[in-house]
Amino acid sequence: MILGAFCFASFSILLSVYPPTDIPATVMMLSSLVEFPLVFISGVFIPIEEMPPLGKTIASFSPLTYFTDLAKYSIQGTSYYPVAWDLTILLTFTILFLAAAIKLHEKSLPKRL
């Protein structure tokens, strides 16, 4: 849970890098536009095992897929991916999102001041 929280917090920090206006609602709209489809392709409603091959490929690019797989493992004892793989991918996404957010914030912060 903690790793998932860090991953999605760093993703939100990445999405908040460059707001086109001074209105926070604009950032929230961008966040919803990106995060809403992730819910549907991440095995939350349709298990990964039942997805067609294209769906499995698309789902593999979402960090929510791996978090959902870990949650399924903690409740049911079964998972699509190995637990170590889920943890590794979530940690990788967290580091990538955070590193990208730091670099982009360094560039855009002086423009916002």
Side-chain angles (χ1 to χ4, degrees):
M1 292 299 272
I2 293 171
L3 182 58
F6 277 119
C7 183
F8 297 115
S10 61
F11 184 58
S12 296
I13 292 169
L14 178 63
L15 289 177
S16 70
V17 167
Y18 184 73
T21 64
D22 293 336
I23 303 169
T26 311
V27 175
M28 291 305 298
M29 187 169 39
L30 174 66
S31 175
S32 296
L33 181 68
V34 173
E35 293 170 355
F36 186 69
L38 291 180
V39 173
F40 294 102
I41 64 166
S42 299
V44 174
F45 297 113
I46 300 172
I48 301 168
E49 301 85 17
E50 297 177 16
M51 288 184 183
L54 179 62
K56 290 178 185 178
T57 303
I58 294 170
S60 67
F61 291 103
S62 169
L64 185 58
T65 300
Y66 303 99
F67 180 75
T68 304
D69 198 42
L70 282 172
K72 180 180 174 186
Y73 178 77
S74 68
I75 294 170
Q76 297 178 349
T78 61
S79 64
Y80 183 74
Y81 300 108
V83 173
W85 180 252
D86 288 334
L87 292 171
T88 303
I89 295 297
L90 272 177
L91 184 62
T92 303
F93 271 117
T94 302
I95 292 169
L96 288 175
F97 291 154
L98 201 53
I102 289 170
K103 290 294 180 190
L104 292 172
H105 272 292
E106 286 175 352
K107 290 181 180 181
S108 68
L109 189 61
K111 296 175 187 176
R112 289 187 264 166
L113 294 176

